[in-house]
Every structure is written in C-alpha cells, then in structure tokens.
Amino acid sequence: MNELLSPAAPEVDARGAAGVLPELPGRLTESLRRELIAFRRDLHMHPELGNQEFRTTTAIKTRLERAGLRPRVLAMGTGLICDIHPEGLQEAEGAGDDPGAAAQGAPPGPTTAQAQSPAAPAAPPPMLALRADIDALPIPDTKEVPYRSTVPGRAHACGHDVHTTVVLGAGLVLAELARAGALPRPVRLLFQPAEEVLPGGAADAVDCGVLDGVGSILAVHCDPRVDVGRIGLRAGPITSACDRLEVVLSGAGGHTARPHLTTDLVTAAAKLVTEAPALLARRADARSGLSLTWGRIESGHAPNVIPQRAELSGTLRCLDLPTWREAPDLVHAAIDELATLHRAKCELTYVRGVPPVVNEPSATALLREAMAARSGAASVETTEQSLGGEDFSWYLEHVPGAMARLGVRPVGDRRSRDLHQGDFDADESAITTGVELFTAAALLHRP
C-alpha cells in the first residue's frame, strides 16, 4: 500500500441519497496528515494578498512536482492548475517544458497504429475540478499561536490556507490512486488567486481557460459555526451577491455659523448613510434581502468648518440574481435623489462584485454522497444562505458545481468566532475531512 493511502477500513454506513456504500479508498495516512498540517501552518505564517501570491504558488507547485505532477502557473503569474488523469502518471523525466502543454498525468499520445487509424479519437471525459483560493486578507493576525502570521497587517483570516491545503492533499492522494489504476475519471486541481479582490480572481481565471475541459466544479469554505468533522450543504443559493460603492459628495463649504450659505456636506453624508438603505428597501422586493451597509465615512477637519468634500464607501448585498442585476440602477437613482435634496454634487463609483453562489442540485448531491460515504449521513447538516460574497460564483456561470461549508469549529467549543477577524483559526482536523470529502467525490463522480 502506498504511503499516501491508508488501507481500507470496515464498511461505513452511508445511508441517505447514497445508500450503503463500501469503504472508498483515498483516506489519509498519518504521515501525510502531519505533512499537510505543517504545509498549512507555513502558508498561515506567510500570507500574501491577492495577485501577490508568488511564494504560495511556488510552494504548491513544488509539492505537486515532487508527486510527479506537472502543474501550470496561470497567465496572471500566480495561481495554478494541475490535471490528474485515470490513465496513470507519466514519468517526470523527459516531460516537455512547454507551458501550454497538458498537466502531468495527461493521457498519453496515440500509438502508431492508432495514429494511422481513420477513426477519430474519443473525446476525453469532462473533468471534475476542485477549487481552492490562495490569497490572504489585509488585517493583522491577533492569535497567540506558534504559526501566527509573520507579515504585519496580513493574515489568513478567511481559511484560504485550509482550502489550499485541502485541495493539495486531495491532489496528492488522487495522484496515487491514478498510479494504482483506481481513479475512474480525470480531475483538475485549481488554485485560484485574488478571491478577496472584487470582482474576484475567479473571473480572471476563467479568462485564462481554467474551465476548458471541465464538466463540474466543487469547493469548500471554512465555517467557524460548524463543528469539525461535519459539512454544511444546501442546494440553490448558499452565498449572496456583493458589490462595492464609493461615493464622493462635494459642495460649497463655509463657517458653521452660516450653514445656509453652504452645502452642508456633513448633514448630507449623514442623511445618505441613514436614508439610502431605507429607500432601497422600499424599491426592491423584500424577499431579495437587498442590504446596503456603510463601512467608511470621512469628512471635515475642524469643528467650526463645514467641509467641501465628504466620502463614503460600503457594500451592497442581495440574495437573488434578478435583484443583483437591477441593483446598480436602483442605487444610482436613490443616491442621486438624496444628494440633490441636500444640494450636494455626487460622484458614485459602483464596483460590480460577485453574483450569488448557486449550488447545482446534482453537484450538491455528490458532495452529500461523498461525505456520507466517509462519515455517515449524519455528518451533513443543512446550512442557511449567507450574506457573504464568494467569487466561486463566477465558475458556476459556466459549469455546474457546488460549495460546501467545511466545519472548522473544535467540538464542544461554543465561543463566537467569525471569518475576517484577526483571531480566526481552524481546527486542523478539518484538513483531513476536506481531503477525504474531495477524494470520495472524485471517486463517485458521474459526469
């Protein structure tokens, strides 16, 4: 038995959509589990922001190459893809250096007899893609742990280091299954940069051709509200649309003793902050969950001076695609009306973000079946739709797929933790859960 694969365990109960399945191969050995934890901690100590993930990309690429794979760095310069085919891995030595060539493990070329045959070669089956995002956030790491971030003001506070390690681990195990002739269909590993940068690195990755040959795509996202060893699933929307707004108000300033001779921009900005969300709530279907929330307001420098400029920025979120498509027009109209009411000139920059992640039912069922096969049907819980945004949605505009919420909360820990906070951390047992979920999904995948 290869050192990356554990021997088969007794049959597990995977009732539900899957029925009772025999134990699937593709579980982690203790040595690989320890290696993956060390890999995650290294990423955690060296976080890199979107489109700057050069060290992270090199670390992933180096480990995949050590496994005999041929990853390809994306045209953006960070992020990479790597294909694993059921025909088995080619030898690393003698492989071509063409960056446009297929990843290591691609099907071998035709034999001489096949090349002379008039019959057209069969099209390769569509690949299952496993996606991870690799960037960090521009916030300080406030945890007191040995693997705390070594980069001031940057932290893996959203769990992307866990996502990356999960897909890497799944790739290493699937490569060994391919060597053993136990991988039924091709798999693409996708390590995507800049998820935290609107409109998201996924859109650029799609433009680079990462979905060429892909029939469906899966992902996980850390969830500190779900216990480790479990996942959260739902068919349909699981995240929300998210856009960004930048508003600049301008007008004649002056002395606070004579506000009637000025454009009172502080009052105008305050009215915009409080009244724009309420106005939008009356112009969109309440079921869409349209929500405008401000994160920054800045104006003035002295208590007795009415300023000539005020700046606001915030995010707009909603639950459904139709309202998201209407949102720019609704926002422009509401903000222009309020600015005009207070005699302020208004410049609005509306930055399109991401649509909702809408889990396709059959891909969601695959994740459910895979998790049930590994840990039983009770390890899957139904989750709610989040108002958070995720650029995984851009892939789902092109191919069906689904995202699962990966439990990272230590069992019994009921402290309130959230993503995008400096104290965020994950129970590292979640790495094993994620790897074995993905390897099971690859084995059970039926295009």
Side-chain angles (χ1 to χ4, degrees), residues 124-316:
M127 286 181 283
L128 173 69
L130 306 176
R131 175 266 199 173
D133 37 13
I134 65 175
D135 57 325
L137 284 162
I139 63 176
D141 190 344
T142 60
K143 300 186 301 298
E144 294 297 332
V145 293
Y147 48 89
R148 181 179 177 178
S149 172
T150 61
V151 184
R154 299 181 187 176
H156 269 294
C158 200
H160 294 188
D161 53 334
V162 174
H163 308 164
T164 299
T165 305
V166 163
V167 173
L168 173 66
L172 297 177
V173 173
L174 291 172
E176 293 302 329
L177 290 173
R179 289 187 191 277
L183 182 65
R185 294 173 187 86
V187 174
R188 171 166 291 169
L189 313 178
L190 166 54
F191 299 90
Q192 175 217 305
E195 190 276 333
E196 299 288 354
V197 181
L198 289 179
D204 292 330
V206 170
D207 290 341
C208 286
V210 299
L211 294 181
D212 293 349
V214 169
S216 57
I217 187 167
L218 302 176
V220 294
H221 198 295
C222 290
D223 192 335
R225 301 166 301 170
V226 178
D227 283 345
V228 70
R230 300 173 61 82
I231 64 169
L233 280 178
R234 66 178 285 124
I238 192 171
T239 70
S240 300
C242 179
D243 297 339
R244 189 177 76 240
L245 282 69
E246 303 286 343
V247 179
V248 176
L249 300 177
S250 59
H255 200 291
T256 56
R258 292 174 288 278
H260 60 291
L261 301 179
T262 73
T263 299
D264 188 351
L265 288 184
V266 173
T267 297
K271 290 291 187 179
L272 202 64
V273 165
T274 57
E275 294 182 11
L279 188 57
L280 285 170
R282 288 296 178 267
R283 296 186 176 182
D285 189 328
R287 293 169 295 183
S288 71
L290 188 70
S291 174
L292 172 59
T293 304
W294 302 102
R296 184 181 72 93
I297 178 170
E298 183 176 338
S299 185
H301 301 283
N304 62 342
V305 177
I306 293 176
Q308 296 178 326
R309 182 182 175 93
E311 298 179 4
L312 305 88
S313 57
T315 60
L316 185 95

Side-chain angles (χ1 to χ4, degrees), residues 21 41 59 78 87 137 147 152-153 165 168 190 232 234 243 253 294 324 337 366 383 395 412:
L21 294 174
R41 292 186 177 189
T78 61
E87 288 80 359
L137 284 162
Y147 48 89
T165 305
L168 173 66
L190 166 54
R234 66 178 285 124
D243 297 339
W294 302 102
W324 180 68
E337 288 177 25
L366 173 61
T383 191
Y395 300 116

Side-chain angles (χ1 to χ4, degrees), residues 8 10 27 38 46 66 78 90 136 139 152 192 280 318 341 371 395:
R27 289 194 181 274
H46 301 92
R66 279 177 48 205
T78 61
Q90 300 174 13
I139 63 176
Q192 175 217 305
L280 285 170
C318 63
L341 182 64
M371 191 64 186
Y395 300 116

